[in-house]
Amino acid sequence: MNKTFLAAAALSLVAGSVLVACGGSDAITVATPTPLAEPFTIKVMGFNDYHGTLESPGTFGETTAVPAASRPAVGGAEFMAAHIASLKKKNPLNVVVGAGDSIGASPLISSLFFDEPSVETLNRIGLEFNSVGNHEFDKGSAELLRLQNGGCKMTAGVVDPNSCQGAAAGTPVPFEGAKFQWLSANVISTATGKPLLPAYGVKTFNGVKVAFIGMTLKATPTIVTPSGVAGLEFRDEAQTVNALIPELRAAGISSIVVLVHEGGFQAGTLGDINACEGQLAGSAIASIVSKFDNAVDLVVSGHTHAAYNCMLPNTTGRRISVTSASSFGRVLTDIDVTIDPSTGDIIKALATNRLVVRNDPAITADTVVAKIVAGYKSLVSPLANSIIGGITADLPNTRTDGACNMPAGNLIADSQLAATQPAGFGGAVMAFMNGGGVRSPGFTFASSTAGEGNGNVTYGEAFTVQPFGNSLVTLSLTTQNIKDFLEEQFAGCLGQSPTATRFAIPSAGFKYTWDGAKACGARVSNVTLRSSSVVETLVDASGTVQNPAKSYRVTVNNFMADGGDGYATLVKGTDRIGGAQDIDALTAYLADFKASKAAYAPGANVLDAGTPRINRVGTSAICPGGANVNP
């Protein structure tokens, strides 16, 4: 075979062949059939934000208008594999791709085993190319490389007892590593000046090469702990792609697909998985696509856990297909891509988002993948199914009003305050939880399949909501610091990302009001702190800070304390004291609401005095999450 030089650590695949090169300075070119004269179609199957969700995440509708009782059960690794196998039968020219966050923030069934189950199921689902996402860096680049290359997790010089447990699931021991290729075009090792993982992969169809460039969002360091991104540089997404175009063209590649872990949200509330209401206006992904070279033909995106099917303008104004498939294996994007062999270029991309339903009689669960899931479930069940507390109603991780309150976040913030209130543990008087750290679905009242009973919360359910293993940090902030922290929740304000509005959830007794119509620095007012029957005003109704230099002890997680989610003011906190892990604080708090004791009731904390913790001027029911701070 001849060897052809492909720079930037490219990866080459030929349809129907095996992987022939990875991460080196050259790739083996395999002989392919003579190019066809007529256009032909390939099938690209995409998904994003799998997050180690081996089991079904529940029900899901094609729109929010579908009644809850009519929404089918979706997802589960065994059904993802089955749906992809069914789609492959429709076209032998196919490829399966991902847009990041395949690991990290995972349920206990995967995270307890260092996300090896996630990789093993994705291998058998058929994933081929996968961009890195921010959660791929939760445990640092060395751990990501281990998951790519295989081998057991070492702890204190020996194999960790929760690693390489494939014997119970029917997978190889030691851990096999990813059979797909993670791609990291814009993630540069500062030690080498090169991408940490290949910048792109190439697969050949009927003699035509198609490139898949993989990237995470440039802002990854702002949403991952510093240790996770140590030794890495995250570059601009559009600039990275455009810089690769000449190299790809020199290699004879004109068909270019971008897999990027960045996204947006549709406007409105319908959430049709095959719509693009509002054209993702103001979103990070729309901005990135608008700067792409005209050579880019298709974008598979992720990160926001939203589903959409868009045609967005690139730098020339030409509209290209931009897709996202929700999260947790609920949706697959089925894209028919037509290629002109005379030019080697994509001339059409027709995308359809499809629910990964579990009740289609024509789709039978993949037995091999089902065995893997069952094996790991048997290992994790004794811990996962233990009851740790009780609740009286659902506590969703969604924003339940236009002011951006979140019931699940309230419970977590309260647990963190309780863990750090004693003087010896920090002496905290308030706590804040970042909304993005409260994972789906929150706490559900209905019993799970484990059969723990309605209202009971299991350790596995709690871990699903709090999977990061963050530790608590109590620090001192002045009244002015607290005001600034609340102001920097809004997009573009005091260093916050211009495309993200991020409301933290306060503990009981802390209240404030915000007005999105006002300017940066003037949106927050009526900040009060209730302790027993005493109410202290930190910021008055006019927005004036009272006693700006007064110090308060505040608890957050270590991610927030280090400036994560754009909360730069928290870095100024002094007299830091480290605390328990977030999941341990939550477990201890819920123990006071277990069995013979009264269950946790949302809104019942006396410090809340029956009113919401976050209040908003105006009547809008839409909580802002992007660039528009006043929808």
Side-chain angles (χ1 to χ4, degrees):
M1 295 181 182
N2 295 323
K3 289 189 176 182
T4 304
F5 178 76
L6 289 179
L11 184 95
S12 183
L13 285 175
V14 174
S17 74
V18 297
L19 178 67
V20 294
C22 173
S25 61
D26 42 47
I28 299 172
T29 301
V30 179
T32 60
T34 302
L36 302 177
E38 297 297 324
F40 63 93
T41 299
I42 67 172
K43 187 173 290 293
V44 178
M45 291 155 280
F47 58 92
N48 52 277
D49 296 276
Y50 178 57
H51 287 292
T53 310
L54 276 62
E55 300 179 281
S56 169
T59 61
F60 198 66
E62 291 188 348
T63 75
T64 57
V66 177
S70 301
R71 298 172 188 172
V74 296
E78 74 277 25
F79 277 95
M80 287 184 68
H83 278 267
I84 286 174
S86 177
L87 289 173
K88 283 183 174 182
K89 290 179 182 178
K90 297 180 180 180
N91 190 340
L93 301 177
N94 58 67
V95 61
V96 183
V97 300
D101 275 10
S102 297
I103 58 172
S106 306
L108 197 62
I109 191 174
S110 184
S111 62
L112 184 64
F113 308 103
F114 304 103
D115 274 325
E116 292 167 16
S118 178
V119 173
E120 291 169 341
T121 53
L122 288 172
N123 285 345
R124 289 152 185 83
I125 284 169
L127 183 61
E128 295 171 68
F129 299 116
N130 188 27
S131 74
V132 293
N134 53 287
H135 283 292
E136 266 79 5
F137 298 96
D138 283 350
K139 305 300 181 183
S141 59
E143 176 65 357
L144 174 58
L145 292 175
R146 182 187 73 86
L147 291 173
Q148 176 72 77
N149 299 321
C152 299
K153 171 75 173 179
M154 305 299 289
T155 301
V158 299
V159 175
D160 192 285
N162 288 328
S163 180
C164 288
Q165 292 295 312
T171 56
V173 177
F175 169 60
E176 64 190 6
K179 304 304 180 185
F180 56 91
Q181 182 62 56
W182 265 296
L183 304 170
S184 66
N186 68 330
V187 184
I188 309 301
S189 167
T190 55
T192 66
K194 298 179 180 179
L196 177 70
L197 290 155
Y200 58 86
V202 177
K203 189 167 183 177
T204 302
F205 302 92
N206 289 335
V208 177
K209 298 175 182 178
V210 180
F212 299 86
I213 301 172
M215 303 181 295
T216 186
L217 65 158
K218 179 185 177 182
T220 290
T222 70
I223 51 175
V224 175
T225 55
S227 60
V229 295
L232 301 173
E233 176 189 350
F234 293 78
R235 295 182 177 174
D236 182 84
E237 304 93 342
Q239 291 177 10
T240 296
V241 167
N242 294 344
L244 286 170
I245 301 302
E247 178 179 319
L248 294 173
R249 284 176 171 156
I253 301 171
S254 296
S255 293
I256 299 171
V257 178
V258 171
L259 316 175
V260 57
H261 191 71
E262 181 60 287
F265 295 96
Q266 294 190 56
T269 59
L270 186 61
D272 187 329
I273 65 172
N274 278 301
C276 189
E277 191 175 357
Q279 298 296 301
L280 310 186
S283 70
I285 190 62
S287 175
I288 292 167
V289 171
S290 72
K291 301 170 187 173
F292 275 161
D293 187 286
N294 200 38
V296 175
D297 303 295
L298 167 66
V299 178
V300 178
S301 67
H303 185 53
T304 57
H305 293 199
Y308 45 79
N309 189 351
C310 298
M311 296 293 292
L312 300 182
N314 66 8
T315 189
T316 70
R318 180 173 72 96
R319 291 184 175 271
I320 60 175
S321 179
V322 180
T323 69
S324 182
S326 183
S327 59
F328 310 136
R330 296 175 176 128
V331 176
L332 285 172
T333 306
D334 174 12
I335 313 170
D336 289 322
V337 175
T338 303
I339 297 174
D340 182 350
S342 66
T343 61
D345 202 2
I346 293 172
I347 57 176
K348 183 180 179 181
L350 180 62
T352 305
N353 278 329
R354 304 186 187 280
L355 294 184
V356 182
V357 297
R358 298 172 63 88
N359 62 354
D360 185 343
I363 304 292
T364 303
D366 185 289
T367 56
V368 173
V369 177
K371 180 181 177 182
I372 295 173
V373 176
Y376 282 110
K377 187 172 184 177
S378 68
L379 290 177
V380 79
S381 288
L383 173 61
N385 295 341
S386 60
I387 296 173
I388 61 172
I391 55 177
T392 63
D394 284 343
L395 305 175
N397 78 319
T398 52
R399 307 291 182 163
T400 54
D401 56 27
C404 303
N405 286 283
M406 180 195 291
N410 286 355
L411 170 57
I412 292 169
D414 290 350
S415 74
Q416 296 181 359
L417 177 60
T420 55
Q421 269 184 320
F425 292 89
V429 296
M430 66 184 81
F432 295 92
M433 178 63 197
N434 60 309
V438 185
R439 309 304 288 186
S440 179
F443 303 92
T444 55
F445 178 80
S447 177
S448 72
T449 55
E452 75 279 2
N454 291 346
N456 287 317
V457 178
T458 66
Y459 183 85
E461 290 174 318
F463 191 93
T464 296
V465 183
Q466 285 277 270
F468 296 107
N470 287 329
S471 51
L472 304 185
V473 178
T474 303
L475 41 79
S476 294
L477 294 176
T478 66
T479 316
Q480 186 64 56
N481 290 153
I482 294 169
K483 171 67 155 57
D484 292 344
F485 161 62
L486 296 175
E487 292 284 354
E488 70 188 2
Q489 296 177 121
F490 298 91
C493 187
L494 303 183
Q496 182 57 263
S497 165
T499 60
T501 296
R502 297 172 169 136
F503 284 94
I505 303 100
S507 55
F510 187 93
K511 295 180 185 294
Y512 71 95
T513 299
W514 61 273
D515 185 348
K518 292 189 176 181
C520 168
R523 296 186 176 111
V524 173
S525 64
N526 291 311
V527 181
T528 60
L529 178 64
R530 176 185 290 270
S531 176
S532 185
S533 60
V534 178
V535 179
E536 180 182 2
T537 298
L538 282 69
V539 181
D540 68 16
S542 70
T544 302
V545 177
Q546 309 296 296
N547 201 355
K550 183 176 180 179
S551 182
Y552 296 86
R553 297 294 284 166
V554 181
T555 294
V556 294
N557 60 47
N558 61 292
F559 166 70
M560 297 174 69
D562 290 335
D565 272 354
Y567 301 140
T569 297
L570 297 181
V571 179
K572 300 176 182 179
T574 59
D575 299 321
R576 295 186 173 207
I577 295 178
Q581 281 203 337
D582 49 13
I583 185 64
D584 294 335
L586 179 60
T587 301
Y589 185 70
L590 280 171
D592 286 335
F593 302 95
K594 181 180 177 182
S596 60
K597 301 177 182 179
Y600 177 91
N605 194 307
V606 295
L607 295 179
D608 286 332
T611 58
R613 301 178 187 183
I614 309 175
N615 299 275
R616 179 180 183 179
V617 174
T619 60
S620 174
I622 300 174
C623 170
N628 183 358
V629 303
N630 196 38

